[in-house]
């Protein structure tokens, strides 16, 4: 689904529309008329093809020519949000709030998870799915809770599918993994169309409408923090969360990549992410790294912390700590 | 004329007030109410912080209904395994070292034992008593490292008090049923046999 007709940086410069190169061809003196005719025909075919693509992909003219979120003017953003709200209303029969709240000045979000506290109950996984409108089928879950044997830290020996009657189990510990919101995020560097980037408050986001679904970012992420929509997401209508953000939990569609956004729709309004609020043992902590009095700052100062795969210099803002 | 003007102004003011009220109500509904009940506040070390009010079950209070001097109930100072009428309590806290009167005030049953300032602690402020033994946990809790908070990371929060997560008579968490694991991706073998 290419929708970058007017993008100068686009590599697909097969100029069907201009045809000027062929018309000015000096050795085509006799065949000039003929060439021009071909060129016109190709131009018409190209235009028809473009319209065809717009119709077949069932996306509107505005949607087709929508800018990258970061290059939109305030007016264009408002138009886009209004269009999306109307579109969601038509599709799901519900009134959605699609916000685009910007970063709060002086914030850099950080997360801390107490691995001595986590009991592996997976409440966070499902709270996240519901808050962020993740597809139930095919299944997408931003949080993976890994179970390790005590004393073992080998990810290859961890178990994602543990299913005992009760948790925590004797002899095991649990380590939930989600997007680590790296300061030096490799995923954003490999994106060929710059559809994903790090916001000023440290949240790594995706512009779903700009994403071309090449999945380079998924290959680049060392934490498996990104998910691809292999098919149209299926979510029961009554479970849809209608309070959304453009860069966050608004309904997605097939062929694009999505990920944890620290619940951008909540945290930009000051609220804690859904996983923090649901955790029954209070293992999850969230706050502003630039505020020395915030919970995360205190943890970084006073507790033993570590990050995953520090040797890769990804500089995650997701810390694990020992609370005891 | 002036009267007319005044009524117009009055009507405008009324309209504005109604609009403001509607807006306030709307925004109130929009934002999540951080604490469910009236909040009590605790001031310690010069720092004020809000804690939610957690009422005790009516069935067991006031303790003085039974344990008052007028009832002529003798105070039993020795540890006892059988807790008589308190059949719902199974004491599993601190092994054999801790017993009822290590936390509950013997003379003032509606209160907990005092700190060094001699003032009895109310049940609503039980976390102060918990901190007597669990000082490091208490400090971590005050700083938001231990325990759970909900609400706003940059604003009002609901603190979960010690006894809202831990049963004081049996503080260790009981294991719970985990939510279902994710679906496994289909293996190539499976995929080929299913087609
Ligand atoms: S909800 Fe809390 S305890 Fe349960 S798995 Fe998630 S982090 Fe661990």
């Amino acid at each position: 689904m290419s929708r970058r007709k007017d993008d100068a940086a686009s590599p697909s410069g097969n100029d069907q529309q201009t045809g000027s190169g062929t018309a000015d061809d000096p050795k085509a003196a006799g065949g000039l008329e003929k060439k021009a005719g071909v060129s016109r025909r190709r131009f018409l075919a190209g235009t028809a093809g473009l319209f065809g693509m717009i119709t077949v992909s069932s996306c509107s003219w505005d949607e087709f020519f929508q800018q990258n979120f970061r290059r939109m003017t305030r007016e264009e953003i408002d138009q886009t949000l209004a269009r999306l709200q109307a579109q969601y209303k038509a599709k799901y029969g519900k009134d959605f709030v699609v916000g685009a709240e910007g970063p709060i000045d002086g914030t850099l979000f950080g997360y801390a998870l107490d691995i001595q506290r986590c009991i592996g109950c997976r409440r966070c996984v499902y709270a996240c799915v519901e808050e962020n409108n993740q597809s139930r089928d095919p299944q997408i879950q931003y949080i993976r809770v890994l179970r390790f044997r005590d004393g073992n830290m080998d990810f290859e020996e961890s178990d994602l599918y543990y299913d005992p009657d009760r948790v925590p189990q004797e002899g095991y510990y649990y380590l939930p993994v989600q997007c680590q919101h790296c300061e030096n995020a490799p995923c954003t560097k490999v994106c060929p169309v710059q559809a994903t980037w790090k916001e000023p408050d440290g949240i790594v986001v995706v512009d779903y409408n700009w994403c071309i679904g090449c999945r380079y970012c998924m290959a680049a992420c060392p934490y498996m923090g990104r998910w691809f929509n292999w098919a149209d997401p299926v979510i029961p209508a009554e479970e849809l969360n209608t309070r959304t953000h453009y860069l966050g939990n608004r309904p997605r569609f097939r062929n694009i990549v999505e990920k944890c956004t620290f619940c951008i729709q909540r945290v930009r309004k000051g609220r804690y992410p859904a996983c923090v609020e649901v955790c029954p043992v209070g293992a999850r902590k969230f706050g502003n790294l630039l505020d020395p009095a915030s919970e995360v700052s205190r943890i970084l100062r006073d507790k033993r912390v570590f990050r995953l795969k520090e040797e890769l210099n990804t500089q995650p803002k997701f810390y694990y700590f020992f609370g005891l | 004329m002036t009267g007319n003007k005044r009524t117009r102004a009055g009507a405008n003011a009324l309209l504005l007030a109604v609009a403001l009220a509607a807006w306030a109500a709307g925004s109130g509904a929009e934002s999540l109410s951080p604490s469910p009940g009236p909040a009590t506040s605790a001031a310690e070390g010069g720092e004020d912080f809000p804690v939610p009010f957690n009422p005790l079950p009516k069935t067991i209070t006031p303790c003085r209904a039974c344990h008052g001097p007028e009832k002529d109930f003798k105070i039993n100072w020795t540890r006892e395994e059988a807790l008589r009428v308190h059949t719902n309590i199974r004491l599993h806290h601190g092994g054999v070292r801790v017993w009822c009167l290590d936390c509950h005030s013997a003379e003032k049953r509606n209160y907990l034992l005092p700190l060094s300032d001699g003032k009895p602690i109310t049940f609503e402020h039980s976390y102060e008593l918990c901190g007597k033994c669990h000082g490091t946990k208490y400090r971590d809790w005050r700083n938001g490292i231990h325990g759970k908070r909900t609400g706003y990371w940059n604003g009002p929060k609901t603190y979960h008090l010690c006894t809202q997560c831990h049963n004081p008579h049996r503080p260790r968490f009981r294991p719970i049923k985990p939510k279902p694991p994710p679906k496994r991706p289909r293996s190539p073998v499976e995929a080929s046999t299913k087609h």
Side-chain angles (χ1 to χ4, degrees):
Chain A
M1 249 217 279
S2 152
R3 20 182 125 76
R4 258 160 313 282
K5 185 200 157 216
D6 54 348
D7 189 346
S10 168
S12 57
N14 46 349
D15 299 321
Q16 293 166 337
Q17 289 99 326
T18 58
S20 59
T22 21
D24 292 347
D25 199 341
K27 71 176 188 240
L32 184 67
E33 224 175 307
K34 196 180 154 214
K35 282 252 174 183
V38 170
S39 171
R40 188 156 54 237
R41 197 157 68 216
R42 284 181 59 200
F43 167 73
L44 289 175
T47 322
L50 185 65
F51 277 109
M53 260 156 65
I54 295 175
T55 343
V56 168
S57 67
S58 76
C59 89
S60 70
W61 181 269
D62 288 337
E63 186 175 355
F64 196 82
F65 287 108
Q66 185 183 315
Q67 258 294 359
N68 182 312
F69 182 76
R70 279 190 294 178
R71 282 199 299 213
M72 283 191 209
T73 61
R74 187 65 243 180
E75 201 181 324
E76 284 169 336
I77 290 177
D78 289 341
Q79 281 166 5
T80 306
L81 298 183
R83 198 194 70 232
L84 287 173
Q85 277 165 27
Q87 188 181 317
Y88 294 152
K89 172 92 185 167
K91 184 163 178 197
Y92 303 105
K94 285 194 165 186
D95 287 314
F96 276 74
V97 182
V98 187
E101 291 84 5
I104 302 170
D105 275 349
T107 53
L108 185 65
F109 288 126
Y111 206 108
L113 197 151
D114 188 345
I115 58 162
Q116 285 183 311
R117 201 63 59 199
C118 174
I119 56 173
C121 67
R122 295 201 188 94
R123 300 287 187 277
C124 48
V125 176
Y126 288 87
C128 173
V129 165
E130 278 163 34
E131 169 68 30
N132 290 298
N133 292 324
Q134 282 151 46
S135 174
R136 317 299 202 262
D137 181 33
Q139 191 180 57
I140 290 184
Q141 297 179 343
Y142 295 166
I143 305 175
R144 290 187 177 88
V145 185
L146 301 175
R147 185 185 74 175
F148 291 80
R149 278 197 179 282
D150 277 347
N152 185 347
M153 271 218 75
D154 188 341
F155 276 75
E156 293 191 2
E157 288 171 27
S158 69
D159 186 0
L160 173 63
Y161 303 103
Y162 65 89
D163 193 19
D165 205 36
R166 291 277 180 274
V167 288
Q169 296 160 279
E170 202 59 48
Y172 294 99
Y173 73 95
Y174 305 86
L175 187 135
V177 183
Q178 61 209 75
C179 171
Q180 308 279 304
H181 292 277
C182 307
E183 263 306 277
N184 190 17
C187 52
T188 62
K189 294 180 197 166
V190 296
C191 180
V193 296
Q194 297 184 27
T196 180
W197 64 89
K198 181 164 62 71
E199 285 276 289
D201 53 5
I203 306 178
V204 177
V205 294
V206 181
D207 182 349
Y208 311 121
N209 282 72
W210 200 256
C211 170
I212 56 170
C214 68
R215 296 188 282 131
Y216 281 16
C217 55
M218 292 176 69
C221 174
Y223 307 103
M224 293 168 80
R226 287 170 171 264
W227 298 81
F228 185 65
N229 284 277
W230 290 98
D232 282 319
V234 175
I235 307 168
E238 67 278 6
E239 287 178 26
L240 276 168
N241 179 6
T242 54
R243 290 188 183 189
T244 67
H245 190 286
Y246 181 89
L247 298 172
N249 61 344
R250 69 185 169 103
R252 275 86 63 192
F253 36 92
R254 125 178 85 155
N255 286 348
I256 54 109
V257 165
E258 59 178 84
K259 61 183 287 300
C260 155
T261 61
F262 278 163
C263 288
I264 195 167
Q265 66 282 357
R266 297 169 63 104
V267 301
R268 289 250 171 112
K269 289 182 181 156
R271 292 182 61 185
Y272 282 117
C275 50
V276 170
E277 295 214 332
V278 79
C279 180
V281 297
R284 292 173 165 269
K285 305 289 166 192
F286 176 84
N288 183 4
L289 290 169
L290 303 182
D291 174 6
S294 73
E295 291 146 35
V296 275
S297 297
R298 286 183 198 264
I299 288 165
L300 297 194
R301 211 163 43 229
D302 300 338
K303 297 289 173 185
R304 288 174 294 144
V305 298
F306 68 91
R307 297 185 281 185
L308 297 182
K309 302 189 181 178
E310 277 181 31
E311 67 280 11
L312 299 179
N313 194 31
T314 49
Q315 301 168 25
K317 293 191 290 296
F318 198 106
Y319 294 83
Y320 296 87
F321 74 101
F322 298 91
L324 295 181
Chain B
M1 190 69 210
T2 41
N4 196 0
K5 229 184 203 162
R6 196 175 296 145
T7 46
R8 274 255 296 281
N12 276 350
L14 194 72
L15 260 179
L16 190 72
V18 169
L20 265 178
W23 174 78
S27 62
E30 170 87 18
S31 66
L32 143 146
S33 138
S35 64
T40 60
S41 114
E44 279 172 85
E47 189 197 344
D48 237 336
F49 68 105
V51 290
F53 178 73
N54 72 330
L56 290 165
K58 283 280 173 296
T59 48
I60 63 158
T61 49
C63 309
R64 283 186 76 83
C66 296
H67 292 281
E70 59 277 5
K71 293 283 169 188
D72 206 17
F73 239 45
K74 274 233 322 273
I75 298 171
N76 177 14
W77 292 100
T78 50
R79 186 189 164 87
E80 217 179 328
E81 286 301 328
L83 300 179
R84 297 171 197 271
V85 298
H86 299 291
T87 48
N88 55 334
I89 297 174
R90 301 246 320 278
L91 201 54
H92 258 278
H93 189 164
V96 295
R97 296 182 296 274
V98 180
W99 182 55
C100 312
L101 299 184
D102 288 319
C103 295
H104 294 278
S105 168
E107 285 91 10
K108 294 183 180 161
R109 289 291 166 125
N110 281 354
Y111 294 92
L112 299 168
L113 285 180
L115 297 177
S116 55
D117 62 3
K119 281 196 220 124
I121 297 170
T122 64
F123 283 111
E124 286 79 24
H125 291 81
S126 55
Y127 54 89
E128 292 176 359
L129 182 76
C130 305
K132 263 172 112 175
C133 294
H134 306 282
T136 52
K137 284 285 158 295
Y138 177 59
R139 279 202 295 276
D140 277 355
W141 175 75
R142 292 270 317 264
N143 289 326
I145 297 175
H146 179 100
K148 175 169 165 174
R149 292 174 178 187
T150 54
Y152 291 78
W153 59 266
N154 63 354
K157 303 170 186 21
T158 299
Y159 290 56
H160 287 243
L161 307 182
C162 313
T163 53
Q164 286 174 325
C165 295
H166 303 276
N167 176 346
H169 301 124
R170 227 185 143 77
R172 182 175 272 282
F173 281 178
R174 264 177 259 181
I176 56 173
K177 177 134 191 63
K179 293 260 200 175
K183 284 185 202 144
R184 283 173 195 270
R186 281 200 295 171
S187 70
V189 179
E190 246 183 322
S192 63
T193 51
K194 274 197 179 149
H195 282 295

